[in-house]
Amino acid sequence: MQPAIEIRDLEKTYSDGKRALKGVSFDVPRGQIFGLLGPNGAGKSTLINILAGLVNKTGGTARIWGFDIDADRRNAKRAIGIVPQEILFDAFFTPFEALEIQAGLYAVPKAERRSMEILRALRLEDKAHAYARTLSGGMKRRLLIGKALVHNPPILILDEPTAGVDIELRQQLWSYVRQLHAAGTTVVLTTHYLEEAEQLCDRIAIINNGEVVANDETHALLASAQEKCLIVTVDRDLDSPPAGLPAEKVEMKGTRQLILTYNRSVLTAGELLQAISATGLGVVDVSTREADLEDIFLHLTQQRAA
Ligand code: ADP
Ligand code: MG
């Protein structure tokens, strides 16, 4: 099956000389929730704005639902709905009017419009006929999602939809994203909240400085982490961590717990425990903590920053 989005050697150099994308390639498979992660300034919005037709690329190709964004711009555009990072808004229309106007721009016939249905799904039906300037920030964000959906695109792209949004609204947004996904929509999102990406995304690409530094299924990405953490409770109080353990980092929590970070390509948990026993300490309890996306993210993005 053809990917939902195919990006090949994508380049963007802005007119001031800033090289925001340095040959980015990846596919977004159909039917997934795909996370595009990266620190501020990595190039995420540039990439999304190229797909949206708001920024001109300076090299490479992109296909959306099989349609080349240059050769077949019209069809490519119809295949995606984009929720931009910035809230730009026409304050003089009501949410209902805003959706109807947007549907008009996409030439959706009146009989096929679903403005009220979309407002209901986004819990905005009470505000359907209120002026947009009376909406809260969260409501405006939901309305932007609604605008991206009027032409019923198979792909929805959300650029940092939850930046600066409170926890309750964030959860509402994600539950709506999950509903769309369950109904067959391919979802691409950028987010700073790594824990959310970890829970929500089937697949994750990490970009840093305009380059892809990771691209894998979320569970594989998590499994690939080399850093592991062993938490050991010992049988007596310690003033300081024992010297000479082969771990990369030894920290203490209270007087009896050691938190040991180690690289599993160098050492096993068994070897580490043996080394603790060899110092004369008895081990009372052991637990491990798997690396999370945040560890991996920091590792991949700091490495390249050096
Ligand atoms: P992200 O969304 O990942 O935070 P952006 O795509 O917004 O990153 O920005 C990538 C880089 O390109 C940044 O260094 C940013 O300052 C730069 N940039 C973004 N837009 C422009 C522009 N219009 N002109 C010049 N540089 C830009
Ligand atoms: Mg951005």
Side-chain angles (χ1 to χ4, degrees):
M1 196 166 48
Q2 203 164 31
I5 301 175
E6 272 180 89
I7 291 166
R8 290 292 172 276
D9 307 318
L10 203 62
E11 293 269 348
K12 175 63 188 180
T13 304
Y14 283 105
S15 53
D16 65 356
K18 171 73 200 178
R19 206 168 159 221
L21 296 176
K22 305 170 180 168
V24 166
S25 301
F26 63 86
D27 286 350
V28 176
R30 291 192 185 201
Q32 291 202 336
I33 301 184
F34 186 96
L36 182 62
L37 309 186
N40 252 328
K44 304 179 296 293
S45 293
T46 298
L47 190 149
I48 284 170
N49 290 335
I50 290 171
L51 296 177
L54 300 171
V55 166
N56 290 320
K57 61 185 166 63
T58 48
T61 58
R63 298 170 85 81
I64 301 170
W65 217 247
F67 302 113
D68 185 279
I69 62 167
D70 294 328
D72 218 341
R73 163 61 36 209
R74 239 181 106 77
N75 282 321
K77 204 169 171 170
R78 294 190 76 91
I80 43 169
I82 297 202
V83 184
Q85 181 171 352
E86 307 295 333
I87 300 190
L88 284 174
F89 237 73
D90 204 330
F92 296 101
F93 296 111
T94 68
F96 182 80
E97 287 166 345
L99 295 190
E100 287 291 308
I101 290 166
Q102 186 77 4
L105 292 177
Y106 279 93
V108 179
K110 279 240 181 327
E112 287 171 28
R113 293 189 189 171
R114 304 174 298 132
S115 300
M116 267 327 271
E117 184 190 318
I118 292 169
L119 291 174
R120 217 171 291 126
L122 291 167
R123 311 231 175 120
L124 285 172
E125 72 265 44
D126 292 350
K127 292 281 181 180
H129 304 295
Y131 284 110
R133 67 178 125 81
T134 68
L135 304 185
S136 70
M139 290 173 178
K140 286 179 183 162
R141 226 168 246 287
R142 278 180 277 160
L143 181 54
L144 281 180
I145 298 181
K147 282 179 74 173
L149 292 170
V150 292
H151 56 297
N152 205 14
I155 306 169
L156 178 68
I157 301 185
L158 302 129
D159 193 4
E160 312 247 4
T162 52
V165 160
D166 68 41
I167 290 183
E168 195 187 326
L169 175 64
R170 241 193 277 169
Q171 281 167 352
Q172 274 177 29
L173 287 179
W174 293 142
S175 108
Y176 188 56
V177 162
R178 284 203 175 91
Q179 273 177 47
L180 289 169
H181 171 247
T185 305
T186 302
V187 178
V188 178
L189 59 95
T190 76
T191 177
H192 268 92
Y193 299 100
L194 299 176
E195 208 182 301
E196 271 177 357
E198 198 170 319
Q199 289 167 13
L200 209 62
C201 299
D202 302 299
R203 196 178 178 90
I204 286 173
I206 299 178
I207 67 170
N208 189 36
N209 259 317
E211 291 177 287
V212 176
V213 293
N215 173 16
D216 214 332
E217 286 177 23
T218 307
H219 68 85
L221 200 60
L222 292 171
S224 73
Q226 296 297 326
E227 293 263 292
K228 281 207 144 193
C229 200
L230 195 68
I231 301 151
V232 176
T233 308
V234 294
D235 62 352
R236 77 199 71 147
D237 293 323
L238 299 173
D239 297 326
S240 59
L245 294 178
E248 287 184 354
K249 198 166 68 177
V250 185
E251 294 160 299
M252 291 199 55
K253 192 176 170 201
T255 54
R256 290 198 175 203
Q257 248 186 7
L258 300 174
I259 301 167
L260 304 120
T261 309
Y262 67 102
N263 187 320
R264 67 172 185 185
S265 65
V266 176
L267 195 71
T268 67
E271 287 165 339
L272 196 49
L273 286 171
Q274 261 173 15
I276 293 169
S277 299
T279 69
L281 289 167
V283 172
V284 177
D285 192 25
V286 180
S287 62
T288 60
R289 189 179 68 79
E290 295 292 328
D292 60 16
L293 195 52
E294 187 153 353
D295 299 328
I296 297 165
F297 184 82
L298 286 175
H299 180 72
L300 286 169
T301 54
Q302 285 176 354
Q303 205 175 34
R304 318 275 162 141

